[in-house]
Amino acid sequence: MKRSTKALLFATAAFAPALAMPAHAQDAEVPASVDADEEDNAIIVTARRQNERLQDVPASVSVLTAQALERTGADNAEDFVQLTPGVTIVTGTAEAGDTQINIRGINGARDAESSVALVVDGILKTNTAQLNQTQGTLRQVEILKGPQGALYGRNAAAGAIVLQTLKPSDFFEGGVKASYANENTIQATGHVAGPLGDNLGFVLSGYYRSTDGFFRNEFLDRDVVDDQEVWSVDGRLVANLGEATELDIKARYSQLRGASINFNSSFHLPNFAGVNPAFNEDVNDHPFRYYGNIRPTNEQDSLDISAKIEHDFGDITLTAWALYSDVDQLLTADGTSADFARFIAAADPAAQNVVDSCFSSTANLTGFPVNQPGFVGALPVPFIFDPVNGSTFGAYSPSTCDGTQLQIRQQSDISGEIRLASNGGDALSWQIGAYFLNIDRETGVSIGGDTGAGVSRELFNAPGSANPTSLLLNDTFDTSVYAVFGNAEYQFGDLTAGLALRYDIEDRSSESLVPAGALDPFTGGPINPGLAFGAFAPVDATFRQLQPKVSLSWQPNPDLNFYANWGIGFKSGGFNNQGSAAIIDANFVQFIGADVTIEDQYDKEVSSAFEAGVKGEIAGGAITFDLAAYYTDIEDMQFFEFFVGSFGLLRVVSNIDEVDVYGIEFNTSAEVVEGWTFFGSVNVTESEIKANSSRPSTVGNKSPYTADYTINLGTEIDVPMSSSVDLIVRADYRITGPTWFHSFQNQEAPTLFSGLLPISALALPDFVGNANYGVARRDAFGVLNLRAGIETGNITAAIFANNALNREYLNEVIPAIEFGGSFISPGARRLVGVEVGFKF
């Protein structure tokens, strides 16, 4: 971005009447500090684990109330994020549970813990796979920015998403809603709630969605790229065990079936471009086509059961809860190793059927159109590629030469918290408590030969079987978390000061489950290449951190709040699959001199974040505004790396030693005339990598996955058409600025081609195989969502168009630096449909 453009955006954020999303009032308990005549306009939030006006919170908080959720159609994290400044999301590109939310430059690294806490009805969810699941009948969404660990607990270094769902009342109520859109997209929700007796109430909710997806597999001639079917059931019982005690029991089950690995590969090899320009492709210009011979699948099964009890002792309230969570995920897909001849060059006679299948499938596919620069020749690739007689497949080819992949992630958690809190009404308010969590997790990645028999769902398959295993990474992880926390706030006159503290201890251990002595039938080496450098042994480590948070607020009047806060964010370290460091060292550092260092154990991430701002209301609340500036210093930022080579594929977490992030954000809304509101926001984020021992050449680059800016603009019209019918028109336009997805950015690096070309029949110099990643940045893009409909007392009907202008954009770019290219995934295309609903 040009310097003048950045200056304009900063100026716009600070001074222009840029427009922010509305946060409409909703029914909620109003704290004693709110006067009765303010109640109708008060937006009540729980941003500090207590009910208070949004205006009184000394921090940036974005709110979607029940009415806003209804009128935007938002029901999951992806929808919430698109309506929130300074927040971006990558979700569902590899599998359903793969969700990374970036808030003000801090990203949740794939395969590590999330940086954003998910709190539903006061209970902290413990599995990152649940971030983008629906969570029942929503009544309010709060997105808190900055470190929230001192208040909300584990994995809240970047912020927290706090959800409130429907709670039963003294009368029966319910509703159903259904929609149909292009690509055979069907969605339906329903709920019923009410009393079961004098002291017992219930809520029962259901959700269903299915779609054929936007993309089609040309080889299989089927919609098997991003098709999906998901359903969930949520139940809630709330019992009053006397006047002062409430028991809240919830259960939830969700099931997803669909496709996985929605990626194409893109090369960034400028010295190859003289032969074919597609070897040096800008990721933003890539035409997405799919033709893998394996139908990708994704399964996710989730179960949550929780119980929460609250007892009011008068001046003090005791809250205790327990949660059991179990999430099982599995995906199968085509492989990525064809161009490194994994299943051809060194085949064992025991696997000759695989070689025959590869040669046979290639001969039958000669001339099949694949993405440039790929081509299918008479022979499979004998070494890297054969530009004269053979083939260049890339990843996910229509042949059997690239094998198969299976990935599993199974995690069960037990957690609980106990907390004592003052009931307010005094100048001093406080909370104190303790938290426990145990995580039992197994992960596995299996690469197998493709004999045409599909993908086995077993991680290990013996040589000579229908899907012989060629590479296996399989580890168990056990984590126990212990924490104590407390906070106090004191109000003296117009000034309020608060201090929160949390101390976490995370004990982690890991053990490899790879069968001892198992060999790769294609290379003859260990089935886990890391075993070639020594046996694996169980490992363990303990990570500790104190997380303070200090806040200060000055309110000269109820409509104006000057605030500042500072806090420490923490995310525990952990373990990569054992042998990862040795594999990277041998295949990239020793072979091509790659400037990269990976460890089997990655460090904890610690951030120090400061925010200062002002928020207020004028014209009786018709105009609201919130201006904030922030600065964050991040030590050992956790970052996901993807490696591809002759060994197969490897996913690891590395650390970026130090990253500085700073920015400015402005939100405002204005009801220009009764029933017509404009809203929007501007966020500008600057970042810089200060130190990076994992990749030293990246110092000076930007924080990965961080958009340079976000802009939200929109309007809502709510006017009566008659005494009983209202017309509702809503438009939301989101612009997401340019984004780098890797610490390695506009730079050149050696690749495996650099090492293989000099020793191949081509005998070319090593520099010919170097890659340049200046073409791997996602360009800025804008997405327009439109809704129009009518509301009566109990009936709603609407038409909607998501991505109405059908903007083609990238969801994610995953550069594989030493491979010489990126794996890229497209964003959602236009979805136009109708929706009807009924409430009682």
Side-chain angles (χ1 to χ4, degrees):
M1 183 192 291
K2 293 181 179 179
R3 186 171 299 176
S4 59
T5 305
K6 289 184 180 179
L8 177 61
L9 283 170
F10 271 107
T12 302
F15 302 111
L19 307 170
M21 73 177 158
H24 303 285
Q26 75 144 35
D27 293 335
E29 180 183 346
V30 180
S33 59
V34 178
D35 295 335
D37 59 353
E38 295 176 336
E39 180 174 336
D40 291 339
N41 294 319
I43 302 166
I44 308 304
V45 297
T46 59
R48 292 185 291 172
R49 302 190 75 162
Q50 61 186 14
N51 287 335
E52 60 186 324
R53 294 193 315 162
L54 175 62
Q55 174 64 24
D56 297 333
V57 179
S60 293
V61 182
S62 296
V63 181
L64 285 168
T65 61
Q67 187 179 78
L69 292 167
E70 176 82 20
R71 294 180 177 182
T72 60
D75 60 18
N76 58 42
E78 185 174 13
D79 298 333
F80 311 151
V81 163
Q82 292 304 310
L83 294 163
T84 307
V87 186
T88 58
I89 188 171
V90 170
T91 185
T93 54
E95 58 183 335
D98 180 17
T99 299
Q100 301 169 79
I101 297 178
N102 185 296
I103 298 181
R104 293 178 172 177
I106 300 181
N107 195 68
R110 181 183 275 113
D111 292 345
E113 301 291 345
S114 174
S115 295
V116 179
L118 175 64
V119 181
V120 183
D121 295 323
I123 294 179
L124 175 66
K125 295 297 183 81
T126 51
N127 195 316
T128 59
Q130 298 167 308
L131 269 172
N132 205 34
Q133 296 180 359
T134 58
Q135 297 290 333
T137 305
L138 292 178
R139 282 297 174 260
Q140 183 155 294
V141 176
E142 303 166 28
I143 298 183
L144 289 62
K145 302 167 188 175
Q148 304 297 327
L151 291 171
Y152 277 108
R154 189 172 181 269
N155 295 341
I161 298 177
V162 180
L163 308 181
Q164 296 179 34
T165 69
L166 179 66
K167 194 173 182 178
S169 62
D170 294 333
F171 57 88
F172 280 100
E173 62 176 304
V176 293
K177 185 188 297 182
S179 66
Y180 181 83
N182 54 289
E183 318 310 329
N184 198 28
T185 302
I186 301 170
Q187 182 168 309
T189 62
H191 74 274
V192 60
L196 292 175
D198 292 340
N199 299 305
L200 182 66
F202 80 100
V203 179
L204 183 64
S205 303
Y207 173 86
Y208 176 83
R209 186 179 190 272
S210 67
T211 181
D212 290 342
F214 296 101
F215 301 96
R216 188 175 183 85
N217 186 303
E218 299 174 25
F219 179 73
L220 298 178
D221 193 29
R222 294 176 59 193
D223 298 313
V224 296
V225 176
D226 55 341
D227 59 306
Q228 191 178 94
E229 182 178 41
V230 59
W231 61 268
S232 62
V233 176
D234 292 79
R236 186 176 190 181
L237 287 173
V238 179
N240 293 319
L241 308 178
E243 294 184 359
T245 306
E246 180 182 89
L247 177 64
D248 189 347
I249 299 175
K250 298 179 67 176
R252 179 176 186 278
Y253 182 78
S254 175
Q255 185 180 94
L256 179 144
R257 299 292 183 266
S260 65
I261 311 291
N262 182 8
F263 287 100
N264 276 190
S265 57
S266 178
F267 291 99
H268 312 315
L269 301 166
N271 294 317
F272 287 17
V275 177
N276 187 334
F279 272 114
N280 189 34
E281 180 182 50
D282 188 321
V283 293
N284 299 282
D285 298 332
H286 178 82
F288 280 92
R289 294 179 59 228
Y290 301 84
Y291 38 72
N293 67 305
I294 298 292
R295 190 262 195 263
T297 67
N298 186 197
E299 298 180 2
Q300 182 188 73
D301 297 284
S302 304
L303 173 66
D304 282 359
I305 301 174
S306 66
K308 183 174 70 170
I309 190 166
E310 290 187 348
H311 181 77
D312 188 347
F313 289 99
D315 294 332
I316 299 173
T317 296
L318 169 68
T319 302
W321 57 260
L323 168 69
Y324 171 78
S325 171
D326 184 85
V327 182
D328 293 339
Q329 300 182 94
L330 178 149
L331 73 82
T332 65
D334 210 359
T336 63
S337 300
D339 275 336
F340 294 103
R342 180 177 183 81
F343 300 103
I344 306 166
D348 185 277
Q352 191 62 42
N353 60 329
V354 180
V355 179
D356 290 341
S357 175
C358 175
F359 274 83
S360 173
S361 71
T362 306
N364 294 332
L365 287 165
T366 299
F368 183 90
V370 296
N371 279 336
Q372 290 292 316
F375 59 92
V376 182
L379 297 173
V381 53
F383 192 42
I384 307 173
F385 52 82
D386 185 348
V388 179
N389 300 309
S391 305
T392 296
F393 293 119
Y396 321 116
S397 81
S399 79
T400 62
C401 301
D402 49 11
T404 68
Q405 58 178 304
L406 164 71
Q407 298 183 33
I408 69 161
R409 184 183 180 95
Q410 299 172 344
Q411 178 173 323
S412 61
D413 311 336
I414 297 175
S415 59
E417 181 180 282
I418 185 168
R419 175 165 48 100
L420 287 170
S422 64
N423 281 341
D426 297 325
L428 176 66
S429 60
W430 56 269
Q431 300 182 43
I432 189 170
Y435 173 80
F436 171 77
L437 164 67
N438 179 261
I439 301 174
D440 183 10
R441 178 188 300 155
E442 178 183 351
T443 66
V445 176
S446 176
I447 304 298
D450 184 359
T451 65
V455 186
S456 168
R457 299 198 169 199
E458 297 295 327
L459 284 171
F460 176 70
N461 299 280
S465 63
N467 188 203
T469 302
S470 179
L471 174 144
L472 178 60
L473 308 171
N474 186 201
D475 297 82
T476 62
F477 303 88
D478 184 81
T479 301
S480 292
V481 180
Y482 313 89
V484 291
F485 58 87
N487 70 284
E489 183 177 270
Y490 188 79
Q491 182 176 358
F492 38 98
D494 297 333
L495 196 65
T496 303
L499 171 65
L501 290 171
R502 180 184 177 95
Y503 185 69
D504 278 270
I505 301 174
E506 295 214 7
D507 291 331
R508 293 193 158 206
S509 61
S510 176
E511 183 175 0
S512 175
L513 300 178
V514 176
L519 299 178
D520 176 359
F522 302 96
T523 68
I527 199 168
N528 183 319
L531 286 169
F533 308 95
F536 297 153
V539 293
D540 61 79
T542 299
F543 303 91
R544 298 178 173 87
Q545 186 63 44
L546 178 67
Q547 299 177 75
K549 184 154 189 177
V550 179
S551 62
L552 190 65
S553 173
W554 176 51
Q555 293 183 271
N557 61 66
D559 297 329
L560 190 62
N561 186 355
F562 295 90
Y563 63 88
N565 61 75
W566 169 83
I568 293 291
F570 162 65
K571 189 163 65 170
S572 173
F575 302 100
N576 291 310
N577 292 108
Q578 290 196 50
S580 296
I583 295 171
I584 299 305
D585 182 69
N587 286 271
F588 299 112
V589 180
Q590 302 300 324
F591 181 43
I592 61 174
D595 187 22
V596 60
T597 301
I598 298 297
E599 305 291 345
D600 283 349
Q601 177 181 317
Y602 55 89
D603 294 331
K604 67 180 181 180
E605 176 183 303
V606 180
S607 55
S608 172
F610 175 80
E611 178 187 38
V614 58
K615 61 175 65 175
E617 301 176 355
I618 57 177
I623 299 174
T624 67
F625 63 90
D626 185 348
L627 172 65
Y630 53 91
Y631 170 79
T632 306
D633 175 74
I634 309 156
E635 294 184 2
D636 293 316
M637 172 184 278
Q638 294 172 7
F639 174 63
F640 167 79
E641 290 255 29
F642 187 60
F643 294 92
V644 181
S646 59
F647 57 85
L649 61 87
L650 188 63
R651 300 158 54 127
V652 301
V653 177
S654 65
N655 290 106
I656 304 175
D657 299 53
E658 185 177 1
V659 182
D660 281 358
V661 179
Y662 57 94
I664 192 168
E665 184 173 294
F666 181 67
N667 306 268
T668 185
S669 67
E671 187 175 18
V672 292
V673 297
E674 185 177 357
W676 189 2
T677 303
F678 288 92
F679 42 86
S681 62
V682 175
N683 173 282
V684 182
T685 298
E686 286 285 359
S687 60
E688 183 180 358
I689 296 174
K690 294 290 189 177
N692 188 4
S693 57
S694 178
R695 289 188 181 272
S697 65
T698 64
V699 172
N701 290 346
K702 296 189 175 185
S703 177
Y705 283 77
T706 302
D708 287 353
Y709 56 86
T710 63
I711 302 173
N712 288 73
L713 300 171
T715 188
E716 181 178 289
I717 298 174
D718 179 356
V719 295
M721 298 178 63
S722 69
S723 58
S724 59
V725 179
D726 288 346
L727 171 67
I728 309 296
V729 179
R730 172 96 184 197
D732 291 281
Y733 186 56
R734 165 65 174 249
I735 302 173
T736 303
T739 307
W740 293 102
F741 287 89
H742 201 284
S743 61
F744 199 90
Q745 296 168 10
N746 192 14
Q747 300 167 257
E748 182 175 309
T751 70
L752 289 174
F753 299 104
S754 307
L756 292 171
L757 284 174
I759 60 175
S760 71
L762 299 175
L764 293 172
D766 57 0
F767 73 84
V768 175
N770 290 358
N772 190 293
Y773 285 86
V775 293
R777 185 187 73 166
R778 181 178 68 184
D779 288 345
F781 65 94
V783 173
L784 175 65
N785 293 339
L786 300 173
R787 291 177 69 90
I790 58 171
E791 292 182 0
T792 69
N794 54 7
I795 296 175
T796 62
I799 57 174
F800 60 88
N802 297 334
N803 193 3
L805 301 179
N806 202 27
R807 176 63 192 270
E808 296 184 2
Y809 65 95
L810 297 172
N811 193 346
E812 185 178 24
V813 179
I814 303 178
I817 304 303
E818 286 72 31
F819 164 68
S822 299
F823 293 84
I824 57 179
S825 179
R829 304 305 191 228
R830 179 165 52 209
L831 194 69
V832 179
V834 296
E835 177 185 278
V836 294
F838 174 75
K839 301 177 184 178
F840 64 88

